[in-house]
Amino acid sequence: MLKTLQNSALFNSLPETELQSLVDEACCLKLNQDEILFIQGDPAEHFYWLASGMLKLYRMAPNGDEKVIEIIQPGETFAEAIMFMGQPQPRFPVAAQMIAKGEVWRFNNQQFLGYLEQSVESCFRMMANMSQRLHQHVKEIDRLTLQTASERVINYLLQALTKQSDNNLKLNISKQMLAAQLSIKPETLSRTLGRLSREGLICSQGSTIKVVDIQALRQLVEI
């Protein structure tokens, strides 16, 4: 457990003794599929690390539509930025729900901040981690505002390929949830995948997508 956490960009800023103390005080939550971890507006007294399973962070629009903000994979932390906002009673700006059952570790914000106050080096490492996360979210805003629906789908496929050893992509979330993450309608996602299949660029069978012509996909988004 300790060695696994030390590979996380958030926890590797702490010395091993402080990290061990943090783990000793943490709480392991075993959650089922579709179970809610917290809802938007709940008091934000903790941050979390996903040990197994899969989780989504989302917001609800006034019209009832759900916007998926981020899909959390095992080994990733979330909700940690709120502890630095300096508000007397911070609250979660998003909700968190399990996509697949697993384990979530809950850590106390005040205890973690106490360790950071004792080490300038840890604070600088933390700033580097938060800057990287901010950069990722800025890229996400660019993607949502500057790209068409087709470009979003193609870029998702290309980015997913960078984590694969071959050209076969196994979707670990439903196509409906993927559409929500890309801020497009499910039927738009289906039409885009269908068009790419007819053009011979991909081959889609259920939750598996084989990218046939990577260069052609790159050219489409470059144009």
Side-chain angles (χ1 to χ4, degrees):
M1 173 70 179
L2 195 64
K3 292 185 180 298
T4 302
L5 289 178
Q6 286 175 329
N7 293 326
S8 168
L10 181 69
F11 293 107
N12 66 16
S13 62
L14 295 179
E16 185 171 330
T17 54
E18 280 79 359
L19 181 56
Q20 183 63 63
S21 298
L22 195 67
V23 171
D24 292 341
E25 297 296 326
C27 178
C28 179
L29 308 173
K30 298 182 183 297
L31 303 176
N32 295 318
Q33 181 179 347
D34 297 328
E35 191 167 350
I36 300 292
L37 178 60
F38 56 78
I39 63 174
Q40 185 176 333
D42 277 354
E45 299 175 348
H46 303 88
F47 70 94
Y48 302 86
W49 177 74
L50 185 64
S52 62
M54 196 178 304
L55 179 144
K56 66 176 179 180
L57 301 179
Y58 66 97
R59 287 177 62 89
M60 298 300 298
N63 62 359
D65 289 343
E66 178 185 293
K67 166 55 185 165
V68 178
I69 304 299
E70 190 173 2
I71 302 295
I72 306 298
Q73 305 283 352
E76 296 181 350
T77 57
F78 58 99
E80 68 271 24
I82 305 173
M83 74 175 96
F84 301 104
M85 296 179 64
Q87 299 177 358
Q89 292 182 329
R91 297 185 178 276
F92 291 117
V94 297
Q97 183 180 24
M98 298 297 292
I99 300 174
K101 69 176 183 178
E103 290 185 0
V104 179
W105 284 75
R106 185 178 66 194
F107 298 89
N108 184 273
N109 287 348
Q110 293 304 315
Q111 183 184 11
F112 187 80
L113 288 173
Y115 291 141
L116 290 182
E117 290 173 354
Q118 300 172 19
S119 172
V120 175
E121 181 181 357
S122 295
C123 289
F124 276 110
R125 289 182 182 176
M126 177 62 59
M127 290 172 63
N129 173 63
M130 302 302 292
S131 296
Q132 184 179 26
R133 294 286 293 273
L134 177 62
H135 181 65
Q136 292 173 351
H137 286 300
V138 170
K139 290 175 64 177
E140 172 74 5
I141 293 173
D142 283 344
R143 181 177 63 79
L144 293 177
T145 56
L146 301 179
Q147 295 179 355
T148 65
S150 294
E151 289 172 337
R152 296 177 201 174
V153 174
I154 293 172
N155 271 315
Y156 174 86
L157 296 176
L158 292 175
Q159 291 174 6
L161 275 180
T162 62
K163 305 175 183 178
Q164 298 286 124
S165 58
D166 55 30
N167 292 352
N168 293 306
L169 303 178
K170 179 71 173 179
L171 297 180
N172 52 14
I173 57 176
S174 67
K175 290 184 178 179
Q176 182 175 3
M177 187 166 298
L178 175 58
Q181 185 179 0
L182 297 177
S183 291
I184 60 178
K185 293 187 178 300
E187 53 267 30
T188 302
L189 174 62
S190 297
R191 284 198 301 267
T192 302
L193 293 177
R195 177 174 60 82
L196 295 176
S197 295
R198 291 191 298 273
E199 294 175 358
L201 303 181
I202 67 171
C203 180
S204 178
Q205 294 183 342
S207 60
T208 300
I209 299 176
K210 179 180 181 180
V211 178
V212 179
D213 195 335
I214 299 177
Q215 189 58 37
L217 287 180
R218 288 174 178 164
Q219 290 176 351
L220 284 176
V221 292
E222 288 173 0
I223 293 174

